[in-house]
PDB file of all heavy atoms in Angstrom:
ATOM      1  N   GLY A  35     -22.373   5.706   7.113  1.00 98.00           N
ATOM      2  CA  GLY A  35     -21.958   5.548   5.777  1.00 98.00           C
ATOM      3  C   GLY A  35     -20.481   5.921   5.565  1.00 98.00           C
ATOM      4  O   GLY A  35     -19.849   6.485   6.441  1.00 98.00           O
ATOM      5  N   TRP A  36     -20.048   5.524   4.419  1.00 98.00           N
ATOM      6  CA  TRP A  36     -18.633   5.851   4.001  1.00 98.00           C
ATOM      7  C   TRP A  36     -18.755   6.643   2.674  1.00 98.00           C
ATOM      8  O   TRP A  36     -19.488   6.314   1.757  1.00 98.00           O
ATOM      9  CB  TRP A  36     -17.817   4.650   3.765  1.00 98.00           C
ATOM     10  CG  TRP A  36     -17.499   3.871   5.006  1.00 98.00           C
ATOM     11  CD1 TRP A  36     -18.176   2.852   5.584  1.00 98.00           C
ATOM     12  CD2 TRP A  36     -16.382   4.136   5.892  1.00 98.00           C
ATOM     13  NE1 TRP A  36     -17.561   2.435   6.734  1.00 98.00           N
ATOM     14  CE2 TRP A  36     -16.424   3.214   6.966  1.00 98.00           C
ATOM     15  CE3 TRP A  36     -15.312   5.057   5.906  1.00 98.00           C
ATOM     16  CZ2 TRP A  36     -15.494   3.204   8.017  1.00 98.00           C
ATOM     17  CZ3 TRP A  36     -14.364   5.018   6.931  1.00 98.00           C
ATOM     18  CH2 TRP A  36     -14.526   4.097   7.971  1.00 98.00           C
ATOM     19  N   PHE A  37     -17.961   7.677   2.599  1.00 98.00           N
ATOM     20  CA  PHE A  37     -17.784   8.531   1.398  1.00 98.00           C
ATOM     21  C   PHE A  37     -16.341   8.599   1.116  1.00 98.00           C
ATOM     22  O   PHE A  37     -15.464   8.298   1.992  1.00 98.00           O
ATOM     23  CB  PHE A  37     -18.389   9.915   1.628  1.00 98.00           C
ATOM     24  CG  PHE A  37     -19.873   9.941   1.677  1.00 98.00           C
ATOM     25  CD1 PHE A  37     -20.517   9.529   2.895  1.00 98.00           C
ATOM     26  CD2 PHE A  37     -20.649  10.455   0.662  1.00 98.00           C
ATOM     27  CE1 PHE A  37     -21.918   9.542   2.875  1.00 98.00           C
ATOM     28  CE2 PHE A  37     -22.029  10.415   0.720  1.00 98.00           C
ATOM     29  CZ  PHE A  37     -22.670  10.031   1.880  1.00 98.00           C
ATOM     30  N   ARG A  38     -15.977   9.024  -0.103  1.00 98.00           N
ATOM     31  CA  ARG A  38     -14.569   9.219  -0.419  1.00 98.00           C
ATOM     32  C   ARG A  38     -14.419  10.445  -1.404  1.00 98.00           C
ATOM     33  O   ARG A  38     -15.408  10.838  -2.046  1.00 98.00           O
ATOM     34  CB  ARG A  38     -13.997   7.959  -1.094  1.00 98.00           C
ATOM     35  CG  ARG A  38     -14.560   7.611  -2.472  1.00 98.00           C
ATOM     36  CD  ARG A  38     -14.062   6.304  -2.976  1.00 98.00           C
ATOM     37  NE  ARG A  38     -14.555   5.955  -4.301  1.00 98.00           N
ATOM     38  CZ  ARG A  38     -14.282   4.818  -4.897  1.00 98.00           C
ATOM     39  NH1 ARG A  38     -13.573   3.834  -4.281  1.00 98.00           N
ATOM     40  NH2 ARG A  38     -14.811   4.548  -6.079  1.00 98.00           N
ATOM     41  N   GLN A  39     -13.249  10.992  -1.356  1.00 98.00           N
ATOM     42  CA  GLN A  39     -12.959  12.149  -2.162  1.00 98.00           C
ATOM     43  C   GLN A  39     -11.561  12.032  -2.728  1.00 98.00           C
ATOM     44  O   GLN A  39     -10.594  11.974  -1.983  1.00 98.00           O
ATOM     45  CB  GLN A  39     -13.127  13.443  -1.329  1.00 98.00           C
ATOM     46  CG  GLN A  39     -13.055  14.692  -2.149  1.00 98.00           C
ATOM     47  CD  GLN A  39     -13.525  15.915  -1.456  1.00 98.00           C
ATOM     48  OE1 GLN A  39     -13.616  15.938  -0.240  1.00 98.00           O
ATOM     49  NE2 GLN A  39     -13.867  16.932  -2.178  1.00 98.00           N
ATOM     50  N   ALA A  40     -11.479  11.983  -4.032  1.00 97.00           N
ATOM     51  CA  ALA A  40     -10.204  11.999  -4.709  1.00 97.00           C
ATOM     52  C   ALA A  40      -9.798  13.407  -5.030  1.00 97.00           C
ATOM     53  O   ALA A  40     -10.678  14.311  -5.149  1.00 97.00           O
ATOM     54  CB  ALA A  40     -10.284  11.171  -5.980  1.00 97.00           C
ATOM     55  N   PRO A  41      -8.487  13.658  -5.275  1.00 93.00           N
ATOM     56  CA  PRO A  41      -8.069  15.068  -5.524  1.00 93.00           C
ATOM     57  C   PRO A  41      -8.856  15.607  -6.801  1.00 93.00           C
ATOM     58  O   PRO A  41      -8.899  14.944  -7.826  1.00 93.00           O
ATOM     59  CB  PRO A  41      -6.613  14.868  -5.862  1.00 93.00           C
ATOM     60  CG  PRO A  41      -6.214  13.678  -5.093  1.00 93.00           C
ATOM     61  CD  PRO A  41      -7.355  12.706  -5.156  1.00 93.00           C
ATOM     62  N   GLY A  42      -9.361  16.794  -6.657  1.00 95.00           N
ATOM     63  CA  GLY A  42      -9.995  17.513  -7.717  1.00 95.00           C
ATOM     64  C   GLY A  42     -11.442  16.968  -7.992  1.00 95.00           C
ATOM     65  O   GLY A  42     -12.053  17.387  -8.967  1.00 95.00           O
ATOM     66  N   LYS A  43     -11.938  16.025  -7.168  1.00 97.00           N
ATOM     67  CA  LYS A  43     -13.254  15.502  -7.365  1.00 97.00           C
ATOM     68  C   LYS A  43     -14.194  15.805  -6.265  1.00 97.00           C
ATOM     69  O   LYS A  43     -13.739  16.119  -5.141  1.00 97.00           O
ATOM     70  CB  LYS A  43     -13.182  13.979  -7.639  1.00 97.00           C
ATOM     71  CG  LYS A  43     -12.482  13.625  -8.997  1.00 97.00           C
ATOM     72  CD  LYS A  43     -12.582  12.168  -9.256  1.00 97.00           C
ATOM     73  CE  LYS A  43     -11.950  11.833 -10.556  1.00 97.00           C
ATOM     74  NZ  LYS A  43     -12.076  10.335 -10.921  1.00 97.00           N
ATOM     75  N   GLU A  44     -15.495  15.670  -6.480  1.00 97.00           N
ATOM     76  CA  GLU A  44     -16.480  15.795  -5.461  1.00 97.00           C
ATOM     77  C   GLU A  44     -16.410  14.599  -4.481  1.00 97.00           C
ATOM     78  O   GLU A  44     -16.001  13.489  -4.851  1.00 97.00           O
ATOM     79  CB  GLU A  44     -17.876  15.884  -6.062  1.00 97.00           C
ATOM     80  CG  GLU A  44     -18.152  17.074  -6.971  1.00 97.00           C
ATOM     81  CD  GLU A  44     -18.421  18.324  -6.077  1.00 97.00           C
ATOM     82  OE1 GLU A  44     -19.091  18.171  -5.011  1.00 97.00           O
ATOM     83  OE2 GLU A  44     -17.969  19.381  -6.350  1.00 97.00           O
ATOM     84  N   ARG A  45     -16.852  14.855  -3.275  1.00 97.00           N
ATOM     85  CA  ARG A  45     -16.980  13.760  -2.319  1.00 97.00           C
ATOM     86  C   ARG A  45     -18.140  12.840  -2.784  1.00 97.00           C
ATOM     87  O   ARG A  45     -19.224  13.359  -3.081  1.00 97.00           O
ATOM     88  CB  ARG A  45     -17.308  14.289  -0.914  1.00 97.00           C
ATOM     89  CG  ARG A  45     -17.153  13.215   0.149  1.00 97.00           C
ATOM     90  CD  ARG A  45     -17.289  13.856   1.568  1.00 97.00           C
ATOM     91  NE  ARG A  45     -16.151  14.777   1.777  1.00 97.00           N
ATOM     92  CZ  ARG A  45     -15.856  15.323   2.945  1.00 97.00           C
ATOM     93  NH1 ARG A  45     -16.626  15.007   4.051  1.00 97.00           N
ATOM     94  NH2 ARG A  45     -14.855  16.164   3.122  1.00 97.00           N
ATOM     95  N   GLU A  46     -17.879  11.562  -2.863  1.00 98.00           N
ATOM     96  CA  GLU A  46     -18.889  10.601  -3.429  1.00 98.00           C
ATOM     97  C   GLU A  46     -19.267   9.514  -2.449  1.00 98.00           C
ATOM     98  O   GLU A  46     -18.486   9.116  -1.580  1.00 98.00           O
ATOM     99  CB  GLU A  46     -18.428  10.051  -4.735  1.00 98.00           C
ATOM    100  CG  GLU A  46     -17.172   9.076  -4.604  1.00 98.00           C
ATOM    101  CD  GLU A  46     -16.810   8.423  -5.908  1.00 98.00           C
ATOM    102  OE1 GLU A  46     -17.428   8.659  -6.949  1.00 98.00           O
ATOM    103  OE2 GLU A  46     -15.891   7.585  -5.923  1.00 98.00           O
ATOM    104  N   PHE A  47     -20.453   9.043  -2.586  1.00 98.00           N
ATOM    105  CA  PHE A  47     -20.982   8.082  -1.752  1.00 98.00           C
ATOM    106  C   PHE A  47     -20.265   6.713  -2.032  1.00 98.00           C
ATOM    107  O   PHE A  47     -20.010   6.379  -3.239  1.00 98.00           O
ATOM    108  CB  PHE A  47     -22.462   7.909  -1.963  1.00 98.00           C
ATOM    109  CG  PHE A  47     -23.090   6.663  -1.391  1.00 98.00           C
ATOM    110  CD1 PHE A  47     -23.323   6.593   0.037  1.00 98.00           C
ATOM    111  CD2 PHE A  47     -23.461   5.572  -2.160  1.00 98.00           C
ATOM    112  CE1 PHE A  47     -23.922   5.453   0.560  1.00 98.00           C
ATOM    113  CE2 PHE A  47     -24.070   4.490  -1.568  1.00 98.00           C
ATOM    114  CZ  PHE A  47     -24.264   4.391  -0.226  1.00 98.00           C
ATOM    115  N   VAL A  48     -19.972   5.910  -1.001  1.00 98.00           N
ATOM    116  CA  VAL A  48     -19.359   4.609  -1.168  1.00 98.00           C
ATOM    117  C   VAL A  48     -20.365   3.498  -0.704  1.00 98.00           C
ATOM    118  O   VAL A  48     -20.713   2.573  -1.401  1.00 98.00           O
ATOM    119  CB  VAL A  48     -18.069   4.471  -0.402  1.00 98.00           C
ATOM    120  CG1 VAL A  48     -17.543   3.072  -0.543  1.00 98.00           C
ATOM    121  CG2 VAL A  48     -17.041   5.485  -0.945  1.00 98.00           C
ATOM    122  N   ALA A  49     -20.780   3.608   0.589  1.00 98.00           N
ATOM    123  CA  ALA A  49     -21.620   2.530   1.178  1.00 98.00           C
ATOM    124  C   ALA A  49     -22.377   3.142   2.314  1.00 98.00           C
ATOM    125  O   ALA A  49     -21.872   4.064   3.021  1.00 98.00           O
ATOM    126  CB  ALA A  49     -20.797   1.383   1.531  1.00 98.00           C
ATOM    127  N   ALA A  50     -23.507   2.470   2.675  1.00 97.00           N
ATOM    128  CA  ALA A  50     -24.265   2.838   3.850  1.00 97.00           C
ATOM    129  C   ALA A  50     -24.886   1.616   4.493  1.00 97.00           C
ATOM    130  O   ALA A  50     -25.089   0.605   3.808  1.00 97.00           O
ATOM    131  CB  ALA A  50     -25.361   3.887   3.510  1.00 97.00           C
ATOM    132  N   ILE A  51     -25.146   1.692   5.797  1.00 97.00           N
ATOM    133  CA  ILE A  51     -25.750   0.614   6.505  1.00 97.00           C
ATOM    134  C   ILE A  51     -26.785   1.154   7.449  1.00 97.00           C
ATOM    135  O   ILE A  51     -26.559   2.144   8.056  1.00 97.00           O
ATOM    136  CB  ILE A  51     -24.636  -0.230   7.228  1.00 97.00           C
ATOM    137  CG1 ILE A  51     -25.238  -1.491   7.859  1.00 97.00           C
ATOM    138  CG2 ILE A  51     -23.918   0.635   8.245  1.00 97.00           C
ATOM    139  CD1 ILE A  51     -24.136  -2.451   8.300  1.00 97.00           C
ATOM    140  N   SER A  52     -27.937   0.395   7.584  1.00 96.00           N
ATOM    141  CA  SER A  52     -29.007   0.875   8.452  1.00 96.00           C
ATOM    142  C   SER A  52     -28.628   0.729   9.852  1.00 96.00           C
ATOM    143  O   SER A  52     -27.592   0.128  10.260  1.00 96.00           O
ATOM    144  CB  SER A  52     -30.227   0.044   8.129  1.00 96.00           C
ATOM    145  OG  SER A  52     -29.988  -1.364   8.386  1.00 96.00           O
ATOM    146  N   THR A  53     -29.495   1.246  10.714  1.00 96.00           N
ATOM    147  CA  THR A  53     -29.215   1.240  12.194  1.00 96.00           C
ATOM    148  C   THR A  53     -29.006  -0.141  12.758  1.00 96.00           C
ATOM    149  O   THR A  53     -28.094  -0.298  13.623  1.00 96.00           O
ATOM    150  CB  THR A  53     -30.389   1.927  12.925  1.00 96.00           C
ATOM    151  OG1 THR A  53     -31.625   1.290  12.587  1.00 96.00           O
ATOM    152  CG2 THR A  53     -30.472   3.424  12.544  1.00 96.00           C
ATOM    153  N   SER A  54     -29.717  -1.091  12.287  1.00 95.00           N
ATOM    154  CA  SER A  54     -29.617  -2.479  12.842  1.00 95.00           C
ATOM    155  C   SER A  54     -28.535  -3.291  12.102  1.00 95.00           C
ATOM    156  O   SER A  54     -28.118  -4.348  12.595  1.00 95.00           O
ATOM    157  CB  SER A  54     -30.951  -3.222  12.712  1.00 95.00           C
ATOM    158  OG  SER A  54     -31.226  -3.403  11.306  1.00 95.00           O
ATOM    159  N   GLY A  55     -28.125  -2.797  10.973  1.00 94.00           N
ATOM    160  CA  GLY A  55     -27.181  -3.498  10.147  1.00 94.00           C
ATOM    161  C   GLY A  55     -27.836  -4.432   9.172  1.00 94.00           C
ATOM    162  O   GLY A  55     -27.160  -5.152   8.383  1.00 94.00           O
ATOM    163  N   GLY A  56     -29.159  -4.468   9.150  1.00 95.00           N
ATOM    164  CA  GLY A  56     -29.826  -5.422   8.328  1.00 95.00           C
ATOM    165  C   GLY A  56     -29.931  -5.012   6.858  1.00 95.00           C
ATOM    166  O   GLY A  56     -30.274  -5.847   5.975  1.00 95.00           O
ATOM    167  N   SER A  57     -29.745  -3.715   6.593  1.00 96.00           N
ATOM    168  CA  SER A  57     -29.749  -3.273   5.189  1.00 96.00           C
ATOM    169  C   SER A  57     -28.461  -2.548   4.821  1.00 96.00           C
ATOM    170  O   SER A  57     -28.008  -1.755   5.621  1.00 96.00           O
ATOM    171  CB  SER A  57     -30.971  -2.296   4.946  1.00 96.00           C
ATOM    172  OG  SER A  57     -32.198  -2.997   5.221  1.00 96.00           O
TER     173      SER A  57
END
Side-chain angles (χ1 to χ4, degrees):
W36 290 94
F37 289 75
R38 67 186 182 186
Q39 189 167 16
K43 294 188 176 181
E44 293 281 321
R45 190 171 298 189
E46 65 175 5
F47 170 75
V48 175
I51 187 166
S52 62
T53 54
S54 67
S57 297

